[in-house]
């Protein structure tokens, strides 16, 4: 089985289950919750597939399994019909695909890659819409603001856009704190837990280093032509004294 097709299974499963929820949205009590749930599931699955295909990342592989776990939860709470059968088939096919590509996943994190905390911050923010939508915590406007603000902050940080570090350290956590009074139980607990996790992760020094890598001012030292390797002199077309040939 082609690795790309095998790795894309979680995204296909997510799309099928979102379509099933659109047909029968009884699992979600409001359109806003359905929107957040669908956005969170599709975004998370997309990031997992891209991470597996492009870099064979371990975090992407395990993120894909969390997506399938979420689809399993939807399968339990949603009613049985043709869409339910299609979703189960898609999820099982995706699980087989993940087992197939497991040998292509790096056994250890990349030595030059970002730290676990730097990777964890955007991943937690990606999961926020799904978790907030699943708990249906309050007015649609409040849910959409705090739910859609999370992946936006993740995007700004992951793409190293100006202000991205402040977005994950202060922007979204403050937004969650401001919106929290408008939410109902268990929305308070969900948003509060997400804010605490994001703050704990985002304020670690390694998260800042991943966004602003340390820079050193380099210097150059002239090397006498007499000490230069012959192949370098030949490539520069000069002799031992530095004169052009």
């Amino acid at each position: 089985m082609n690795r790309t097709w095998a790795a894309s299974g979680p995204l296909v499963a997510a799309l099928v289950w979102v379509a099933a929820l659109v047909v029968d949205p009884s699992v979600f009590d409001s359109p806003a919750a359905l929107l957040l749930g669908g956005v969170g599931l599709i975004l998370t699955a997309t990031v997992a597939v891209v991470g597996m295909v492009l870099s064979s990342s371990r975090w992407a592989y395990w993120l894909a399994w969390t997506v399938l776990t979420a689809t399993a939860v939807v399968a339990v709470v949603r009613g049985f019909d043709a869409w339910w059968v299609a979703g189960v088939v898609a999820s099982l096919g995706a699980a087989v695909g993940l087992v197939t590509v497991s040998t292509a996943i790096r056994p250890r994190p990349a030595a030059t890659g970002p730290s676990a905390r730097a990777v964890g911050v955007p991943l937690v923010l990606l999961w926020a819409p799904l978790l907030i939508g699943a708990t249906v915590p309050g007015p649609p406007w409040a849910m959409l603001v705090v739910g859609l603000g999370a992946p936006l902050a993740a995007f700004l940080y992951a793409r190293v856009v100006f202000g991205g570090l402040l977005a994950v350290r202060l922007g979204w956590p403050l937004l969650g704190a401001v919106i929290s009074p408008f939410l109902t139980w268990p929305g308070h607990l969900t948003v509060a837990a997400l804010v605490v996790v994001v703050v704990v992760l985002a304020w670690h020094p390694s998260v800042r280093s991943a966004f602003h890598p340390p820079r050193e001012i380099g210097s150059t030292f002239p090397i006498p032509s007499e000490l230069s390797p012959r192949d370098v002199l030949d490539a520069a077309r000069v002799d031992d004294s530095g004169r052009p040939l």
Side-chain angles (χ1 to χ4, degrees):
M1 182 184 296
N2 183 276
R3 195 185 88 170
T4 301
W5 284 105
S8 64
L11 179 57
V12 174
L15 291 171
V16 173
W17 279 111
V18 170
L21 292 173
V22 171
V23 172
D24 180 15
S26 58
V27 175
F28 294 98
D29 294 342
S30 70
L34 176 60
L35 174 62
L36 289 178
V39 167
L41 195 60
I42 293 175
L43 282 180
T44 307
T46 301
V47 171
V49 171
V50 171
M52 285 189 294
V53 172
L54 295 185
S55 59
S56 301
S57 300
R58 297 170 68 246
W59 62 263
Y61 179 74
W62 293 111
L63 183 65
W65 279 110
T66 64
V67 171
L68 295 187
T69 301
T71 63
V73 173
V74 175
V76 171
V77 298
R78 190 188 179 279
F80 178 84
D81 60 6
W83 279 103
W84 186 91
V85 175
V88 170
V89 171
S91 294
L92 291 176
V96 173
L98 289 181
V99 173
T100 302
V101 301
S102 62
T103 55
I105 301 299
R106 287 198 304 261
R108 289 191 173 93
T112 58
S115 67
R117 291 175 182 264
V119 174
V121 169
L123 293 185
V124 171
L125 290 170
L126 278 179
W127 266 104
L130 178 60
L131 296 176
I132 294 172
T135 56
V136 194
W141 69 268
M143 294 170 55
L144 291 175
V145 168
V146 71
L148 297 181
L152 175 60
F155 173 80
L156 295 177
Y157 175 78
R159 300 301 300 171
V160 198
V161 178
F162 178 77
L165 183 61
L166 287 177
V168 298
R169 283 186 165 183
L170 295 176
W172 190 80
L174 288 176
L175 180 64
V178 171
I179 296 296
S180 181
F182 298 96
L183 304 177
T184 58
W185 178 264
H188 293 301
L189 180 60
T190 302
V191 174
L194 288 171
V195 167
V196 170
V197 172
V198 170
V199 168
V200 170
L201 292 176
W203 282 94
H204 193 270
S206 63
V207 175
R208 183 182 185 280
S209 297
F211 191 81
H212 294 298
R215 299 177 181 176
E216 296 182 0
I217 299 177
S219 59
T220 59
F221 300 94
I223 300 177
S225 57
E226 293 83 359
L227 301 179
S228 301
R230 171 52 60 183
D231 56 342
V232 174
L233 295 176
D234 293 340
R237 301 183 65 81
V238 297
D239 59 19
D240 293 343
S241 61
R243 292 192 298 269
L245 294 176

